[in-house]
Amino acid sequence: MPNSKPILEVLTGQAQAVPPVWFMRQAGRYLPEYRALRAKAGSFLDLCFTPEWAAEVTLQPIRRFGFDAAILFSDILVVPHALGRTVTFEAGEGPRLDPLDDAAKLQTLATQEDGKVFAPVYEAVRRVKSALPPSVALLGFCGAPWTVATYMVAGRGTPDQAPARMLAYREPDAFARMIDILVEVSSRYLIEQLRAGADAVQIFDTWAGVLPPAEFARWSIAPTRQIVASVRAEIPDAKIIGFPRGAGAALATYIDQVPVNAVSMDWTAEPGFIRERIQSKVAVQGNLDPLALLAGGTALDHAVDDIIENYGNGRLIFNLGHGILPETPIDHVEQTLRRIRG
Ligand code: CP3
């Protein structure tokens, strides 16, 4: 079957003897070829919005390692950028946005994106699609509204995203308006990525784990569920992976309410719980500790073996529990792939 893509097999219900594998942030600073193009591009957003460069960076880890999926090179914060917010990425500092930290400022948020902003992203998807080997899946993505909102409110990443949590408690109506806008824009954005050729999309909710259960239901689950419904209204068989990082036991609630094809687990997931409550219903993805990948040696081998042993008999896409760290040695990635593939 030369045209089959192992990742799509897993997402549609078919466990694979050798789990397909890709890594979150597989295109990035641990690769010298990424650093070279990043330096040439100048700004991070120019790299994201120049189709030739974004496509090239997307393909770099596929050429080097032969991963089973390519993930579009972009960022979750292109959505606030398309809504007219100022977004910059300073080297070594992470993202900076003009904060929307009170109800009055929230009211100024545009209700519609500037659609032209996304055109180069879709062009990058088309370019990658035509360059990929037939067995390799192309993944698109967006941030979940809650996680994108945390950056829009604080104007940056913070240790526990307290500014957005506070604003959601103090100004729930104004906050809900922003979440609703993000649901609409993100749905359109994912639909167009799929139309341009993405085989599946992942919704990154990096900050899901800072919310108490009722807030998790309101700000993480409900908006993500709406996005999935809007996307499937246009593309009924759209393949969608959810990543509510840090959800813990609430992962069960998440999959009961959000009809995703797979959930990505962070490295704290409890294997018995995941097998019985999650993997029995949907495919799972993950969940190697990025620090084990950084450490290498026998600790890495054992961590890889544990994941295969815990989840390898069911529907598994091997991945990290969060993004690869910039200091990660390339030979540790190679070691991991040899260990998985034999
Ligand atoms: O996974 C991939 O290879 C695809 C590309 C991708 C990037 N960001 C590139 C990037 C994806 C899927 C993302 C998602 C993203 N962006 C998330 C959700 C997943 C996660 O990691 O939690 C979040 C929260 C962001 C926001 C963001 N972008 C932060 C907090 C940072 C700074 C942290 C850092 O690693 O520098 C970024 C910048 C960023 N996004 C880089 C890359 C390769 C580094 C920028 C650089 O090269 O200077």
Side-chain angles (χ1 to χ4, degrees):
M1 285 193 299
N3 281 315
S4 88
K5 299 180 198 283
I7 286 195
L8 292 184
E9 296 287 324
V10 175
L11 289 176
T12 53
Q14 197 55 55
Q16 303 292 290
V18 175
V21 49
W22 68 279
F23 284 171
M24 290 188 244
R25 292 284 177 95
Q26 62 189 15
R29 285 163 294 182
Y30 75 108
L31 291 177
E33 57 269 37
Y34 172 82
R35 294 195 298 270
L37 193 53
R38 171 82 169 83
K40 187 172 138 189
S43 94
F44 178 75
L45 282 182
D46 283 342
L47 185 54
C48 293
F49 289 130
T50 306
E52 185 192 341
W53 291 341
E56 169 59 23
V57 170
T58 304
L59 291 164
Q60 285 173 347
I62 307 305
R63 285 191 205 113
R64 190 186 265 272
F65 303 114
F67 284 119
D68 294 290
I71 182 158
L72 165 71
F73 187 82
S74 184
D75 197 85
I76 63 168
L77 299 178
V78 300
V79 165
H81 175 78
L83 282 168
R85 310 305 302 166
T86 304
V87 182
T88 58
F89 293 84
E90 304 299 339
E93 284 195 27
R96 291 288 179 274
L97 297 84
D98 45 343
L100 286 170
D101 47 10
D102 61 37
K105 285 188 205 161
L106 280 181
Q107 289 303 329
T108 68
L109 179 63
T111 55
Q112 285 234 320
E113 73 278 25
D114 175 356
K116 292 191 297 297
V117 169
F118 292 145
V121 176
Y122 308 140
E123 175 58 20
V125 170
R126 285 188 286 270
R127 283 177 186 229
V128 175
K129 181 78 171 189
S130 67
L132 278 180
S135 65
V136 179
L138 173 54
L139 306 178
F141 71 93
C142 72
W146 163 250
T147 285
V148 174
T150 63
Y151 290 94
M152 292 175 76
V153 170
R156 60 200 300 158
T158 66
D160 55 6
Q161 303 297 52
R165 286 158 59 202
M166 276 300 272
L167 197 61
Y169 285 125
R170 284 186 168 146
E171 303 287 353
D173 294 341
F175 192 78
R177 176 181 177 271
M178 170 166 60
I179 292 288
D180 289 344
I181 292 169
L182 291 171
V183 165
E184 298 277 322
V185 182
S186 306
S187 301
R188 287 191 285 270
Y189 185 47
L190 290 184
I191 289 164
E192 292 307 319
Q193 290 181 43
L194 288 160
R195 286 187 176 140
D199 296 299
V201 290
Q202 177 155 325
I203 303 175
F204 286 89
D205 211 350
T206 303
W207 292 100
V210 299
L211 293 169
E215 282 68 28
F216 177 64
R218 180 168 187 187
W219 303 123
S220 177
I221 287 183
T224 306
R225 181 186 163 89
Q226 271 179 279
I227 292 177
V228 170
S230 303
V231 170
R232 295 244 175 88
E234 294 292 321
I235 303 170
D237 67 342
K239 309 293 178 298
I240 303 178
I241 305 169
F243 180 36
R245 188 177 71 114
L251 213 48
T253 318
Y254 183 90
I255 62 153
D256 287 345
Q257 297 185 19
V258 187
V260 287
N261 300 88
V263 275
S264 211
M265 319 167 270
D266 64 68
W267 60 88
T268 65
E270 207 287 303
F273 166 78
I274 294 290
R275 276 194 304 266
E276 284 152 34
R277 193 61 183 80
I278 310 295
Q279 199 182 19
S280 56
K281 297 184 175 164
V282 297
V284 297
Q285 175 174 277
N287 65 342
L288 184 66
D289 183 349
L291 281 183
L293 184 63
L294 180 56
T298 53
L300 173 56
D301 284 344
H302 289 150
V304 172
D305 294 351
D306 275 350
I307 292 171
I308 306 281
E309 202 172 296
N310 283 329
Y311 311 113
N313 287 331
R315 289 172 283 169
L316 170 67
I317 299 168
F318 197 103
N319 204 315
L320 295 170
H322 196 201
I324 194 166
L325 297 162
E327 313 79 44
T328 305
I330 282 167
D331 56 329
H332 294 184
V333 177
E334 290 165 345
Q335 177 187 338
T336 304
L337 290 170
R338 279 196 305 272
R339 194 85 187 173
I340 297 168
R341 291 171 170 171

